[in-house]
Amino acid sequence: MKGNRMPKSESLPAAPVKPFHLSLRVLAVSGIALVAALLSLPLWASANLMRTLVEFICFLAMAQMWDLLAGYSGMVSFGQQTWIGLGGYTLIVFADDLGVNMFLAVIVGGVVTALVAVPTAALAFRLRGGYFAVGTWVIAEGFRLLIASSTEWLQGGLGRTLTAAGNMPRNEREMFTYWLAVVIGVGSVMLVYWLMRSRVGLGLTAIRDSEVAAMSVGVKITRIKLLVFIIAAFGTGVVGGLIYLNALRITPQSSFNIQWAAYMAFIVVIGGLGTIEGPIVGAVVFFTLREFLADFGPWSLILLGGIAVFMMLVAPEGLWGLAHRRWGAEIFPIRRRLKPES
Amino acid sequence: MAGLSPLVSVLLVAPLMFGLGILLQRGLLNRTLNTGMLPPLLTTFGLSVIVQNVLQIGFSADTQGLDAGSLEVASAQVVPGVTLGVLPLITFAVCVLILAGLNLLFSRTPLGRAFRATSDDPATAELMGINSRQIYGLAMGLSLAVVAVGGVLLGVRTTFAPSDGPARLIYAFETVIIGGLGSLWGTLAGGIILGVSQNVGAQLNPAWFQLAGHLVTLALLAFRPTGLFARTRDA
């Protein structure tokens, strides 16, 4: 398995790098402390910081979902913006047209995208590799054009505004939005963690390493991939709802934009594919870069693209992969290793 | 610049792009090939972002056009009552010529055999003495040269801007999906079907130009996932 190869004897260091694990207790305590700090933030921090954190969490969670597809399951999708857009529009329709509570409508967005993901997968799964990547993108474009052609109901290319947001005092709305974001962010990490430690995760690892071998030991490849595709659509759909709960205004052009997929890929590649820590590290790096580069227009994108290409050539395992190789760092252990006989 | 006619400039642009393709593949992309298809996919994706934005800095986001003079509007009467634009006719002829040339290359020459062998199974091809990295380089060079011809013809026909690439990539993808992987003449049919369905869609509703193409592609994917004339199975 990746990362577990025994070093060759001549290159063996004096003491082999021992996996660095935090004990479960340390992990649980620091995890709870972090979540408590995050949840209590509205009591002591500025609204500006809260909005920034919501944005950060959106990137983190959508990258986790993209990593679930690309990193663990080998399904590189350039069409995850489908779920961002559908989640956002579901929020608008349910909250504004059907009168559902807008925070609940964010979750409904996930359910709707999960449902739409089933027929979508039926089409996309006929493609492999690069064709799958572009095929999912075509599907996203199809949805964008469909929604843009609804000029009356969804106001076409003009997009719509979340008017339900006006029913609630602003600071209250922002506080609830923030709390929902924390739940979604922590939830996305825990979901992937739990999934990868389950039977599904074992099957996925097998598929990633060799589809044929996995099939021969009885892994139900299509079923597992479909499950993962649907889960990723659900997660990304919820994020889509959250993005537009925060932004309050949605257009087909912005929500079904391939830019989202590019951000997801960038974050995961920089941080480290196929790990939970990777997208977290990547999201921090991306978010920091984005804040600093905001004024540089096209140059910032050139730099981001350059960094991604550079990382792919020099360290395809990402920053967290480097840290893992160097120090054996692991916070969310999801790798399975053989115990060497002693 | 020297004021070359765009159609003449192809003779310079295509070889230039051929060289660039070889450099790109051998200098950069071949290094990403060892660990699955994700690294080359993401590397090229990153490159496309870079190229688009460099073009935007160099040429601004405004649309540009290539000027081929009177050729752009010239038309010829094929049969009484039916006139066709000269430029579309030239485009079509060039397209058929390129496809025929590629077909000959792939089916009749040792190089073409090496291409097909590497595509089927690079490891075995290497055992037979084929240098797959060299083949990848030539394939990328060839591909960029053909794209260059297409790009120039497209630039004469319509305007273009730095960010237009992705949309064209989608059309190319749809053409291949409709025509079937690995079939050159299938691509021709795929391109025609895509173009016709886009224009039929646009006739019904001006906003449906792209959508019609997407729907035809997705329908084909649903009912005939190997495309109309598929030759290979690794779709």
Side-chain angles (χ1 to χ4, degrees):
Chain A
M1 215 166 291
K2 210 177 163 190
N4 290 333
R5 273 185 228 112
M6 289 297 289
K8 282 192 194 126
S9 54
E10 60 266 27
S11 63
L12 199 68
V17 179
K18 248 175 100 182
F20 168 78
H21 285 294
L22 295 169
S23 78
L24 205 58
R25 191 178 304 170
V26 173
L27 199 65
V29 169
S30 49
I32 290 169
L34 179 68
V35 172
L38 281 174
L39 286 177
S40 68
L41 193 112
L43 304 176
W44 47 269
S46 70
N48 209 4
L49 178 65
M50 274 194 323
R51 266 196 302 276
T52 310
L53 270 173
V54 172
E55 258 184 71
F56 172 77
I57 288 171
C58 288
F59 283 118
L60 169 67
M62 72 170 88
Q64 287 290 357
M65 292 301 122
W66 195 84
D67 194 19
L68 185 59
L69 282 181
Y72 305 102
S73 324
M75 292 185 274
V76 181
S77 164
F78 288 160
Q80 286 299 93
Q81 66 273 27
T82 307
W83 317 123
I84 300 277
L86 280 183
Y89 271 97
T90 309
L91 162 74
I92 304 276
V93 168
F94 273 77
D96 277 3
D97 299 352
L98 303 173
V100 174
N101 175 297
M102 58 186 168
F103 303 104
L104 191 63
V106 170
I107 308 297
V108 175
V111 177
V112 168
T113 52
L115 291 175
V116 178
V118 178
T120 306
L123 284 178
F125 278 22
R126 293 167 180 265
L127 300 165
R128 274 178 195 290
Y131 292 93
F132 176 84
V134 184
T136 49
W137 180 13
V138 171
I139 292 170
E141 284 293 294
F143 277 112
R144 175 176 71 83
L145 293 165
L146 263 182
I147 286 186
S149 68
S150 159
T151 44
E152 303 267 306
W153 178 36
L154 299 174
Q155 304 194 355
L158 286 176
R160 283 186 55 170
T161 309
L162 181 67
T163 46
N167 303 339
M168 196 180 227
R170 182 174 169 165
N171 56 350
E172 211 172 296
R173 191 192 75 232
E174 287 185 338
M175 195 163 71
F176 279 113
T177 304
Y178 170 77
W179 277 332
L180 182 64
V182 172
V183 171
I184 291 170
V186 174
S188 73
V189 171
M190 295 327 288
L191 177 71
V192 177
Y193 185 51
W194 167 77
L195 203 63
M196 288 314 293
R197 290 187 69 108
S198 73
R199 260 174 82 89
V200 174
L202 191 58
L204 278 177
T205 314
I207 293 174
R208 186 197 60 194
D209 290 345
S210 166
E211 207 161 283
V212 180
M215 204 166 6
S216 75
V217 293
V219 178
K220 304 262 187 300
I221 293 183
T222 312
R223 196 193 294 176
I224 288 194
K225 279 190 165 179
L226 179 66
L227 180 70
V228 168
F229 191 80
I230 293 171
I231 291 176
F234 170 82
T236 314
V238 169
V239 173
L242 181 62
I243 289 174
Y244 292 101
L245 181 65
N246 201 34
L248 301 180
R249 174 148 188 80
I250 189 169
T251 65
Q253 191 56 48
S254 67
S255 59
F256 290 92
N257 201 316
I258 181 136
Q259 194 178 299
W260 295 116
Y263 291 159
M264 297 174 204
F266 180 85
I267 291 171
V268 173
V269 166
I270 294 298
L273 204 67
T275 61
I276 289 179
E277 299 90 342
I280 301 177
V281 174
V284 172
V285 173
F286 170 74
F287 206 71
T288 320
L289 279 175
R290 203 181 71 128
E291 295 293 297
F292 279 112
L293 296 173
D295 302 328
F296 294 94
W299 286 107
S300 66
L301 289 167
I302 293 175
L303 186 70
L304 289 181
I307 291 174
V309 171
F310 178 78
M311 284 298 285
M312 269 289 135
L313 289 174
V314 178
E317 72 267 59
L319 292 174
W320 187 260
L322 285 177
H324 176 76
R325 197 167 63 183
R326 180 74 183 76
W327 299 295
E330 225 167 35
I331 297 174
F332 297 98
I334 51 170
R335 294 158 202 260
R336 291 162 208 263
R337 66 189 85 238
L338 286 170
K339 245 186 202 158
E341 283 178 60
S342 49
Chain B
M1 289 293 280
L4 278 181
S5 157
L7 296 185
V8 180
S9 77
V10 169
L11 299 176
L12 283 174
V13 176
L16 216 65
M17 291 290 278
F18 182 77
L20 188 70
I22 292 182
L23 276 180
L24 176 70
Q25 185 67 37
R26 302 203 64 161
L28 192 73
L29 296 176
N30 273 349
R31 288 165 209 268
T32 65
L33 290 180
N34 298 321
T35 45
M37 58 110 207
L38 186 77
L41 199 56
L42 290 178
T43 307
T44 46
F45 191 72
L47 284 179
S48 84
V49 172
I50 296 176
V51 169
Q52 280 177 53
N53 285 285
V54 168
L55 287 177
Q56 188 170 332
I57 290 170
F59 296 93
S60 85
D62 298 341
T63 53
Q64 318 259 344
L66 293 175
D67 186 14
S70 59
L71 194 64
E72 285 182 42
V73 286
S75 60
Q77 195 169 40
V78 211
V79 280
V82 179
T83 48
L84 291 176
V86 171
L87 185 65
L89 276 177
I90 293 179
T91 308
F92 188 73
V94 169
C95 173
V96 171
L97 275 178
I98 287 178
L99 285 174
L102 287 175
N103 230 355
L104 276 179
L105 175 74
F106 282 120
S107 57
R108 295 288 164 81
T109 66
L111 181 63
R113 248 193 326 272
F115 274 132
R116 284 183 287 138
T118 310
S119 158
D120 284 348
D121 187 342
T124 312
E126 294 236 319
L127 289 177
M128 303 296 132
I130 293 169
N131 181 350
S132 63
R133 304 196 153 237
Q134 200 179 351
I135 293 294
Y136 290 145
L138 285 173
M140 182 59 83
L142 201 58
S143 145
L144 286 204
V146 173
V147 166
V149 177
V152 170
L153 287 170
L154 194 73
V156 176
R157 185 175 168 75
T158 175
T159 56
F160 51 93
S163 55
D164 279 2
R168 299 292 161 189
L169 174 64
I170 286 188
Y171 295 161
F173 166 83
E174 294 182 327
T175 301
V176 172
I177 291 298
I178 295 173
L181 276 166
S183 160
L184 287 167
W185 295 117
T187 333
L188 183 63
I192 293 172
I193 293 172
L194 180 67
V196 168
S197 42
Q198 284 177 337
N199 283 297
V200 168
Q203 285 292 319
L204 297 174
N205 181 335
W208 290 352
F209 179 79
Q210 290 183 59
L211 189 60
H214 296 339
L215 291 181
V216 168
T217 308
L218 295 177
L220 218 90
L221 210 48
F223 298 111
R224 201 179 160 87
T226 51
L228 295 175
F229 308 96
R231 295 280 291 277
T232 58
R233 291 191 302 128
D234 54 7

